[in-house]
Every structure is written in C-alpha cells, then in structure tokens.
C-alpha cells in the first residue's frame, strides 16, 4: 500500500523519478498546485539524515545520496529500511510500531484497510492527540489508496497472459 500511495514507479527508477520531477516542475512554473516528486529512496535519505530545511542544496544532496544507495542496496532492502524508520506520528517510528499502536497487531497481519491507514500516516503523521480532522484526512487518503489498489489489481487480472511461443 505504501508504494501505491507514495511511489508507484519505485521499482522502475534509480532513486529519482524524472517523470515526477518534470511533472511537478511544470506545475510549479505554471503556478498550479504541485506536490513533491520525492521517491521512497529520497524519503529514506531524508529520514536517515534528518535534514529538513527546504533548499535546493538539500534536495540535490538527497538526490545524490538516493542515487548512491541504488548502487549499494537492492530496492527491497531500501523499502524495508524506510518502512522500519519512517516517521508515522508522535512516538511512532516505522510501520511495526504504528501497527502495534493503532491496531494492536504486527504489520504483517494488517488487512487492506489497516495497511492503507498506516500508509496514509506517511503524509499525515499521527498527532499526540488525534483529532476528528486528522481521522478524516487519514480515512480519505486510505480510501484513495484502496481504490487505486483495487483498480490496479483488477486491471492486472484482466491482462491476457503471455503464452510462450
């Protein structure tokens, strides 16, 4: 679910998703609302380094480090490492601690709704005292992730299988 909400092309890029960077740059230049183009790799670098200032220098440094970790580590190792240390809210580091706090069970036992909720917390970390507004935001993002997951799964199931010829 994290890949669906955060970085759908995770396994296709080398740490930097140039398609997203171009899309968001064009939006910014046109004065349209734009989001980030950070990949899981870049988010992992930001989490590990702790750098938070919003500067071009920091972004270039993150891109450089994200590219370097691609050389040294597999995508699965990078994803697992990020999920193990990602900030998900007050006193919550990593999906395992968030899963135990939110649902009183290990992350591996989460159902689709619960996994969507945890993934949504990457954008909206859990505050010390959750509010109705926070719950609503989490629910909306989790529902969005589930819709994408279901439609993607249905699309993949409809694709004809290739027969060796």
């Amino acid at each position: 679910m994290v890949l669906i909400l955060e970085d759908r092309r995770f396994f296709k890029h080398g740490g930097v998703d140039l398609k997203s960077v171009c899309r968001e740059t064009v939006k910014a230049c046109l004065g349209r609302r734009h989001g980030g183009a950070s990949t899981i790799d870049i988010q992992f670098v930001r989490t590990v380094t702790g750098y938070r200032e919003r500067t071009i220098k920091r972004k270039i440094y993150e891109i450089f480090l994200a590219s370097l970790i691609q050389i040294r580590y597999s995508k699965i190792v990078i994803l697992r490492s990020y999920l193990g240390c990602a900030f998900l809210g007050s006193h919550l580091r990593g999906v395992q601690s968030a899963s135990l706090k939110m649902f009183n069970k290990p992350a591996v036992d989460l159902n689709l709704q619960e996994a969507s909720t945890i993934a949504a917390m990457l954008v909206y970390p859990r505050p010390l005292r959750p509010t109705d507004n926070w719950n609503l935001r989490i629910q909306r993002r989790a529902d969005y992730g589930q819709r994408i997951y279901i439609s993607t799964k249905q699309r993949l199931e409809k694709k004809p299988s290739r027969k060796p010829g």
Side-chain angles (χ1 to χ4, degrees), residues 37-159:
S38 289
T39 61
I40 294 290
D41 313 79
I42 291 172
Q43 291 175 37
F44 175 57
V45 166
R46 186 176 308 127
T47 300
V48 171
T49 61
Y51 298 145
R52 294 282 180 251
E53 67 275 0
R54 291 178 167 238
T55 64
I56 295 293
K57 181 180 174 183
R58 186 212 79 211
K59 195 59 144 172
I60 291 169
Y61 185 62
E62 286 174 354
I63 289 169
F64 173 71
L65 290 178
S67 299
L68 281 180
I69 66 171
Q70 294 295 308
I71 296 167
R72 180 76 169 96
Y73 301 101
S74 72
K75 284 291 201 174
I76 293 297
V77 168
I78 293 167
L79 179 60
R80 285 183 181 154
S81 299
Y82 175 64
L83 294 177
C85 69
F87 178 74
L88 294 159
S90 184
H91 308 291
L92 298 175
R93 286 276 176 189
V95 296
Q96 190 68 349
S97 67
S99 178
L100 292 170
K101 174 76 174 177
M102 298 289 294
F103 303 109
N104 201 29
K105 59 181 162 180
V108 71
D109 293 336
L110 296 176
N111 63 34
L112 182 60
Q113 171 62 43
E114 294 162 342
S116 300
T117 300
I118 299 293
M121 291 168 58
L122 288 166
V123 174
Y124 303 114
R126 186 178 194 271
L128 195 54
R129 292 183 184 87
T131 63
D132 289 342
N133 187 37
W134 177 80
N135 285 319
L136 182 62
R137 286 179 162 189
I138 288 294
Q139 189 61 52
R140 278 190 198 143
R141 185 149 176 88
D143 290 346
Y144 169 71
Q146 288 177 69
R147 283 193 308 272
I148 292 171
Y149 174 81
I150 291 166
S151 68
T152 302
K153 186 177 175 186
Q154 289 170 345
R155 239 189 349 251
L156 291 174
E157 288 171 352
K158 287 181 184 177
K159 280 188 176 183

